[in-house]
């Protein structure tokens, strides 16, 4: 399975790369924005492509995605300003979806935020614009594309070691989840077609990742 990762240098995606290194069934191409980021992936035998989600065109993204089976979108502005949030988390996501369809990629996995929807967007907090951007990116994926989508809504991301124990569903009370276990979840999503056209929240829990995802 050939997987093209947008936002490959992010913390969740780096854990994903560590798992890919040990998984012969997945062949990753990592899209990175800076040449100095390539070393991490080269050490793991992962090919890289140097592209900027904001600056490069849809045609250029599509050309890089050709031959892939899946696109994972794990990019984010990371609190670098309102303009970057819109350009990356919303417009960048739409560009990636459009490029995937143009390239003939069928499957698209979105790493979203924990809670989206009208109620979540209306709440005033530091991440309100981010929530709005993620919401409309998710809606575009579900309603404006023909892609086989999966949307993963992680809880509060923490850098503690993963436990391979999660719970999934929608409408859960927010709690923490290790980034490493979100990456494990992405691996499991790729291997379970039952996740196609589904979205779910993922939090620390009491079922193995494989068990929780297979029961969706």
């Amino acid at each position: 399975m050939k997987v093209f990762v947008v936002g490959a240098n992010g913390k969740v995606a780096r854990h994903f790369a560590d798992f890919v290194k040990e998984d012969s069934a997945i062949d990753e191409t990592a899209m990175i924005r800076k040449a100095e980021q390539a070393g991490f992936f080269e050490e793991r035998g992962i090919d890289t492509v140097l592209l900027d989600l904001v600056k490069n065109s849809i045609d250029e993204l599509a050309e890089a995605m050709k031959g892939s089976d899946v696109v994972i979108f794990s990019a984010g502005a990371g609190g670098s300003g309102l303009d970057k949030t819109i350009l990356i988390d919303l417009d960048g996501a739409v560009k990636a979806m459009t490029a995937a369809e143009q390239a003939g990629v069928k499957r698209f996995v979105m790493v979203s935020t924990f809670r989206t929807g009208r109620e979540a967007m209306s709440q005033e907090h530091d991440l309100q614009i981010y929530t709005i951007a993620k919401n409309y990116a998710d809606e575009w994926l579900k309603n404006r594309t023909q892609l086989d989508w999966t949307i993963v809504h992680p809880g509060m991301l923490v850098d503690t070691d993963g436990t391979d124990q999660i719970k999934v569903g929608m409408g859960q009370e927010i709690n923490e989840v290790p980034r490493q276990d979100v990456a494990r979840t992405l691996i499991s999503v790729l291997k379970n077609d039952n996740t196609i056209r589904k979205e779910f929240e993922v939090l620390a829990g009491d079922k193995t990742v494989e068990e929780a995802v297979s029961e969706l």
Side-chain angles (χ1 to χ4, degrees):
M1 181 189 304
K2 294 184 177 181
V3 181
F4 188 93
V5 181
V6 181
N9 197 56
K11 291 182 179 180
V12 169
R14 278 182 165 233
H15 285 301
F16 179 84
D18 282 332
F19 291 125
V20 166
K21 178 184 65 173
E22 306 298 333
D23 194 326
S24 60
I26 299 175
D27 180 13
E28 177 182 352
T29 296
M31 178 176 145
I32 56 174
R33 192 167 57 87
K34 298 177 181 178
E36 55 264 33
Q37 297 168 350
F40 173 87
F41 300 97
E42 290 170 354
E43 290 172 2
R44 289 154 179 77
I46 293 171
D47 291 335
T48 59
V49 58
L50 190 63
L51 288 169
D52 189 303
L53 191 57
V54 174
K55 296 178 181 178
N56 286 103
S57 68
I58 290 171
D59 287 346
E60 289 168 324
L61 294 173
E63 183 62 30
M65 292 176 182
K66 281 182 179 177
S68 300
D69 300 301
V70 188
V71 170
I72 294 178
F73 188 90
S74 191
S80 57
L82 299 183
D83 56 340
K84 286 291 181 65
T85 299
I86 297 301
L87 286 169
I88 294 173
D89 293 286
L90 177 50
D91 187 59
V94 172
K95 283 175 71 174
M97 297 171 211
T98 306
E101 290 195 298
Q102 188 172 310
V105 180
K106 189 60 179 170
R107 189 112 192 256
F108 196 101
V109 179
M110 171 72 78
V111 181
S112 185
T113 190
F114 179 70
R115 188 64 48 79
T116 55
R118 182 65 56 188
E119 183 178 348
M121 290 192 298
S122 66
Q123 296 174 0
E124 295 185 8
H125 51 80
D126 291 345
L127 296 176
Q128 186 178 19
I129 299 299
Y130 173 76
T131 302
I132 293 169
K134 284 294 189 186
N135 178 80
Y136 282 105
D138 292 352
E139 289 301 308
W140 188 285
L141 179 58
K142 290 185 287 185
N143 299 310
R144 300 286 293 272
T145 77
Q146 298 300 312
L147 295 161
D148 286 340
W149 54 266
T150 304
I151 301 174
V152 180
H153 298 274
M156 292 184 292
L157 294 165
V158 294
D159 288 323
T160 53
D161 288 342
T163 63
D164 192 23
Q165 299 284 312
I166 62 169
K167 59 181 178 179
V168 299
M170 292 296 286
Q172 302 182 84
E173 184 176 346
I174 191 167
N175 206 334
E176 295 181 347
V177 62
R179 286 180 170 87
Q180 193 175 49
D181 283 336
V182 177
R184 277 194 180 96
T185 302
L186 295 177
I187 294 285
S188 189
V189 162
L190 296 179
K191 296 182 178 182
N192 283 274
D193 286 349
N194 68 303
T195 61
I196 291 174
R197 296 191 174 273
K198 291 181 182 177
E199 59 183 313
F200 60 91
E201 299 157 358
V202 56
L203 302 166
D206 56 5
K207 290 185 176 181
T208 67
V209 169
E210 183 58 34
E211 182 182 8
V213 171
S214 66
E215 292 177 355
L216 281 166

